[in-house]
Structures are given as structure tokens and as C-alpha cells.
Amino acid sequence: MRADAARNLDAVLQTGARLLARDPGTSIAAIAVAAGVDRRTVYRRFKTREALMAAVHAAKLDACEKVVAEARLTEAPVMVALHRYAEGIITVSRRWPVDVQQVQDETAAARLYRLIEQLDAFMARAVREGVIRPGLPDRWARSLLVHLTNVASHEMPELTTAQGADMVVQSLITGLGPA
């Protein structure tokens, strides 16, 4: 792909993520205008808004998978991995503000499910290593982690990603730390 075509695609995907997160009914034409490209450019690549949304979801899932890999959830010390994950996901969520829970195709849903499984396994590891107290309902710690990163990402834009990650980790551990 030519450099200008890659830039245009990235602009369309990021603009689409931002606008579709606010209003799922946003037209492709409106996304093209906001991205600074001709609508024909967008329509050549994406025949429908749903196809564009699927590409945005795929881009966000790609970025989330990279964050999970770089956080090293299975081998890094729990607190280090937790902070890396939070900081990375805040960055991804701000760049791609769409909700991947809304994925429509089976492939994307399977990718999301694998990410959730990895987070659940990481939280189980955090319990085994005494970072999070045992006896909490299944999925509680992971659900809270996801919620806290969403709050830091979207409701606290004044926080840097590092500050947001600090707040996420502190809130999670203080609220769920050993009794």
C-alpha cells in the first residue's frame, strides 16, 4: 500500500472509530469529510458503514492483542504487568474509542473472547500470588479492571496514560488487595 493510501486508511479508521463511537448512525460521507478524504476513497475500501465498523473493531482488537502481549501477563511480575496493561489499554481505548463488545462477526468475537480469557487467567494469577484477595465472584476483578480502564480512557481525558494507569492500578489493588 502506498504511504498516502496508508495514511488515508488510518485517518478513515481513526475518524470512523471516534465518530461511530459517538453516533453509530454516522454516515460514511460524514466520516470521509471529517477524515479529510473524498467519500469515494472510503466507499472503494468499505461498501457499508458496517464494513467500516468491522475494520475499526479489527484495528482495535489488533492493538489490544499487542498490549496484552507486551504486558507479559503470564511472566512479568503481577504489578508490572498490570500497570503495562492499564497504560497500554488506555492508549488503545483513546485512539479507538469504539466498544468491541459490539463486534458482529464470529472471528472478531472469538478474538475478543481470547483476550478476555487471558485477562481472567491473569487475574487468577494475581489471586494466587496474593495481589488480589481470594473469594471474589468469578470475573469480578477482570470486569473491574476493564471498567476502570474505560473510566480512565474516556471519562478522565485530563490524565496522561501513565497517570490513568496509576489510578487504575491503585484503585484496583486498594479495593481488591488482600484483607
Side-chain angles (χ1 to χ4, degrees):
M1 184 180 296
R2 293 184 342 246
D4 61 331
R7 275 191 307 275
N8 286 345
L9 176 59
D10 191 55
V12 167
L13 290 174
Q14 284 190 52
T15 302
R18 183 174 40 82
L19 296 179
L20 290 167
R22 278 192 227 142
D23 178 9
T26 302
S27 70
I28 288 184
I31 292 167
V33 168
V37 300
D38 187 80
R39 69 183 175 88
R40 291 174 298 192
T41 300
V42 180
Y43 277 113
R44 270 195 302 275
R45 182 84 181 190
F46 308 104
K47 301 299 180 210
T48 64
R49 182 177 47 249
E50 291 74 22
L52 175 58
M53 183 58 97
V56 168
H57 283 144
K60 183 169 183 175
L61 287 167
D62 290 345
C64 289
E65 289 167 347
K66 184 177 178 187
V67 166
V68 166
E70 290 175 352
R72 301 178 49 228
L73 301 180
T74 59
E75 62 272 351
V78 170
M79 293 299 288
V80 171
L82 181 59
H83 198 279
R84 284 180 186 156
Y85 171 82
E87 191 166 355
I89 288 299
I90 290 167
T91 300
V92 167
S93 293
R94 286 178 176 172
R95 184 171 188 208
W96 305 104
V98 294
D99 180 3
V100 289
Q101 297 287 339
Q102 305 299 318
V103 296
Q104 298 294 314
D105 71 85
E106 290 180 27
T107 302
R111 291 175 69 191
L112 177 59
Y113 182 75
R114 282 191 300 277
L115 285 167
I116 290 169
E117 283 181 324
Q118 290 175 295
L119 286 178
D120 284 339
F122 174 65
M123 289 293 128
R125 176 179 167 227
V127 169
R128 284 192 309 277
E129 294 185 16
V131 175
I132 294 176
R133 73 171 178 258
L136 296 168
D138 288 345
R139 302 176 315 279
W140 184 262
R142 186 250 309 146
S143 295
L144 188 54
L145 174 61
V146 169
H147 181 71
L148 290 170
T149 55
N150 279 328
V151 168
S153 300
H154 305 297
E155 296 179 31
M156 304 282 178
E158 68 276 9
L159 297 176
T160 66
T161 56
Q163 290 169 328
D166 289 344
M167 293 300 297
V168 166
V169 171
Q170 182 181 29
S171 298
L172 184 69
I173 299 307
T174 300
L176 301 179

